[in-house]
Amino acid sequence: MDIQLPDEIEEKTVIEAVKSIATGLYNQQKSIILEKPEIFGVKEAKGGNWRYLRVKFRLWPGQTAIIETTFKQRVIGFMKKLYPDYADWMITIVYRVE
């Protein structure tokens, strides 16, 4: 999951909040989320002029809804408190099989 960060938002605040949400979800749903989520830090989209925070989850197959709904909505709710115009499209979810 890539969480786009508007320029007005401080990176440290978002990293701490997202880490807390991800850890809480992991502790609640260990049967679905197989390992602790990885937070890769804030990256710059080269040529795109925006920043994003990357989070990686290892999920049991077929259990992506927990990320698409529960986690994503909690992050959006937090981001809207910091930046009222934050929108759903500012979060991208990509799946990869390892």
Side-chain angles (χ1 to χ4, degrees):
M1 172 180 280
D2 289 343
I3 303 164
Q4 186 173 332
L5 304 180
D7 292 333
E8 297 82 4
I9 294 179
E10 184 181 318
E11 293 177 8
K12 184 178 178 184
T13 303
V14 175
I15 291 170
E16 289 174 5
V18 168
K19 185 175 183 178
S20 176
I21 295 168
T23 301
L25 190 63
Y26 166 73
N27 287 326
Q28 181 183 0
Q29 301 292 339
K30 288 183 179 179
S31 63
I32 295 172
I33 304 170
L34 303 175
E35 295 179 14
K36 288 184 180 181
E38 294 179 61
I39 309 289
F40 289 95
V42 176
K43 311 227 182 255
E44 188 80 26
K46 295 178 183 172
N49 198 29
W50 70 79
R51 303 171 300 151
Y52 62 93
L53 172 63
R54 179 160 288 170
V55 183
K56 180 180 177 181
F57 292 90
R58 292 184 187 270
L59 303 173
W60 193 256
Q63 300 297 316
T64 58
I66 196 164
I67 303 305
E68 296 167 351
T69 56
T70 306
F71 184 73
K72 182 177 178 181
Q73 291 306 312
R74 286 184 181 178
V75 172
I76 289 171
F78 171 77
M79 295 299 281
K80 282 186 177 275
K81 289 178 185 175
L82 299 177
Y83 186 79
D85 292 333
Y86 202 83
D88 288 17
W89 64 263
M90 297 172 89
I91 295 180
T92 305
I93 301 173
V94 178
Y95 300 100
R96 188 174 92 187
V97 177
E98 293 186 352

